[in-house]
Amino acid sequence: MYNITLIPGDGIGPEVVSAAKKIVEATGLNVNWDIVNAGADVYKKTGVLVPDEVYESIEKNKIALKGPITTPIGSGFRSINVMLRKKYNLFSNIRPVKTIPGTDSPFKNIDLIIFRENTEGLYSGIEKKHSENVAEATKIVTSAASLNIINEAFAYARKNNKKKVTVVHKANIMKLTDGLFLDCAREVSKNYPEILLDEVIVDNMCMQLVMNPSQFEVIVTTNLYGDILSDLCAGLVGGLGLVPGANIGENMAIFEAVHGSAPDIAGKNVANPTAIILSAAMMLNYLGEKEKSNLIIDAVIEVIGEGKFLTKDLGGIAHTADITNAIIGKIQTLKNL
Ligand code: NAD
């Protein structure tokens, strides 16, 4: 029996998280879900953004599946997502981006994975307003956090027989901060002589990704660039509805989709639950339940490939519940083979 914290989140969060919960249950995994919530909706109801029970649950279970949480733009409270990643030192943000046959994208053979530093950089949350017209943000880069994420990326590359790790930086301009990140990448790469270290400046990287994305296998980068490149890469394979993610630390992990709370489509039963369902598959893999994880991935690929139950973002008319039920049906079929 696994004890897993389940955080529905804001906007489309409750719709897609409930879909992922049903899918995990359909695999036959024995789970005790500890359902707690945080975010803008909780704040409206209780005046508290993150109730203590959320921290207690994560700290007890050490594993969570989380929906997106709204962060107000410009003013208001700071990101709960960023806070949780820092608080629990979930230094690896891992985002696999893969073409699923049947999705409408000009690119067909994308199979890359982004390793984004998750605890510092420009997301350190150190900002100052000097006067009405002058504001400042501090970018922190440490070798400890940089080595953590770069080591993860290279270890993944070796384990999965990848030939190249691309480090994305802007060390030509940010010589000290991005320079340190790049130095760490060069240092780590010495332990992996069979893997090519490919150094690409972030602006060129954006163009390369749009022109020829299948040249990339493993990408490692700092917090802000990783965030931006993740959405760019999601666009290459059919959108944010498809790309899962994991935030992993030493002995704790929070799994969540790349996408946000999508207020424009919230409550309409049209959100694509695939991204959080694939995040749940990553979670099962992390728990050592590889067979059940693959069962989910195979079912998702088959349902999307058949094209009968595609949500609006994929060019279809299916509702969240329709594609969820189709994936559950496919899991049952695959289990009985
Ligand atoms: P978003 O990812 O919520 O939405 C961007 C676009 O993608 C929208 O058009 C949306 O409808 C579409 N989209 C996203 N997920 C989809 C899905 N599953 N199915 C179909 N379409 C989908 O980004 P945003 O609008 O910039 O941000 C909205 C809020 O989410 C903000 O408050 C932001 O801070 C927050 N956010 C949270 C997280 C997180 O919790 N990890 C991540 C990103 C953004």
Side-chain angles (χ1 to χ4, degrees), residues 49 71-72 76-81 83 125-127:
L49 271 171
T71 310
F77 60 84
R78 287 194 176 278
S79 167
I80 294 171
N81 308 307
M83 181 276 288
I126 307 167
E127 286 190 295

Side-chain angles (χ1 to χ4, degrees), residues 132-151:
E132 204 189 327
N133 300 312
V134 181
E136 177 190 331
T138 302
K139 172 164 166 162
I140 306 274
V141 174
T142 64
S143 54
S146 304
L147 290 169
N148 275 342
I149 187 71
I150 295 163
N151 274 313

Side-chain angles (χ1 to χ4, degrees), residues 115 148-162 165 188 192 194-195 218:
F115 286 81
N148 275 342
I149 187 71
I150 295 163
N151 274 313
E152 287 289 316
F154 272 90
Y156 172 91
R158 176 172 282 170
K159 195 168 167 215
N160 293 280
N161 295 318
K162 304 289 183 189
V165 171
V188 171
Y192 295 85
E194 80 281 18
I195 297 169
V218 179

Side-chain angles (χ1 to χ4, degrees), residues 9-316:
D10 293 318
I12 60 170
E15 298 162 65
V16 295
V17 166
S18 121
K21 174 175 176 285
K22 287 183 194 150
I23 300 287
V24 170
E25 287 164 357
T27 67
L29 193 81
N30 201 357
V31 187
N32 171 33
W33 299 103
D34 199 1
I35 304 177
V36 290
N37 209 3
D41 288 348
V42 171
Y43 184 73
K44 265 189 233 146
K45 285 184 206 140
T46 65
V48 181
L49 271 171
V50 187
D52 286 345
E53 59 180 17
V54 175
Y55 297 119
E56 284 159 17
S57 178
I58 297 174
E59 285 161 26
K60 177 166 60 85
N61 298 327
K62 310 235 179 306
I63 185 148
L65 184 63
K66 174 189 158 296
I69 291 179
T70 298
T71 310
I73 294 170
S75 59
F77 60 84
R78 287 194 176 278
S79 167
I80 294 171
N81 308 307
V82 173
M83 181 276 288
L84 288 174
R85 295 165 192 165
K86 278 182 75 166
K87 180 176 170 69
Y88 294 122
N89 195 23
L90 305 174
F91 52 82
S92 284
N93 188 190
I94 304 174
R95 296 170 156 185
V97 182
K98 215 170 166 172
T99 302
I100 301 181
T103 48
D104 188 20
S105 163
F107 304 104
K108 297 295 169 221
N109 296 310
I110 298 173
D111 183 5
L112 59 84
I113 184 161
I114 298 172
F115 286 81
R116 164 194 175 196
E117 201 293 317
N118 217 13
T119 57
E120 54 180 31
L122 263 174
Y123 286 20
S124 300
I126 307 167
E127 286 190 295
K128 260 192 249 166
K129 190 108 190 222
H130 292 284
S131 69
E132 204 189 327
N133 300 312
V134 181
E136 177 190 331
T138 302
K139 172 164 166 162
I140 306 274
V141 174
T142 64
S143 54
S146 304
L147 290 169
N148 275 342
I149 187 71
I150 295 163
N151 274 313
E152 287 289 316
F154 272 90
Y156 172 91
R158 176 172 282 170
K159 195 168 167 215
N160 293 280
N161 295 318
K162 304 289 183 189
K163 295 182 191 67
K164 181 170 84 170
V165 171
T166 303
V167 58
V168 181
H169 65 88
K170 189 77 189 177
N172 50 331
I173 305 297
M174 272 163 280
K175 294 181 190 297
L176 300 184
T177 47
D178 281 18
L180 176 57
F181 192 81
L182 187 55
D183 284 346
C184 289
R186 290 174 180 165
E187 204 48 46
V188 171
S189 79
K190 289 182 189 157
N191 300 324
Y192 295 85
E194 80 281 18
I195 297 169
L196 175 73
L197 174 68
D198 177 33
E199 300 176 3
V200 183
I201 294 173
V202 64
D203 31 356
N204 178 29
M205 185 68 183
C206 293
M207 186 206 60
Q208 296 289 342
L209 276 166
V210 172
M211 299 287 291
N212 179 16
S214 46
Q215 67 182 296
F216 298 107
E217 302 181 274
V218 179
I219 295 168
V220 63
T221 190
T222 55
N223 208 334
L224 174 66
Y225 308 149
D227 197 4
I228 295 170
L229 292 182
S230 300
D231 275 37
L232 190 160
C233 289
L236 300 174
V237 295
L240 281 164
L242 296 171
V243 180
N247 304 285
I248 300 184
E250 285 299 341
N251 65 348
M252 196 184 267
I254 299 180
F255 294 81
E256 62 180 337
V258 171
H259 65 71
S261 55
D264 51 334
I265 55 167
K268 297 181 180 159
N269 193 21
V270 297
N272 186 347
T274 303
I276 185 86
I277 290 170
L278 292 176
S279 306
M282 289 177 81
M283 178 176 79
L284 297 200
N285 192 34
Y286 174 88
L287 289 171
E289 297 284 351
K290 205 167 173 42
E291 214 174 286
K292 290 186 168 57
S293 169
N294 286 340
L295 188 59
I296 294 177
I297 296 167
D298 291 346
V300 165
I301 290 174
E302 286 203 21
V303 166
I304 292 179
E306 286 166 5
K308 280 190 270 179
F309 297 100
L310 298 181
T311 40
K312 199 171 165 208
D313 56 315
L314 300 181

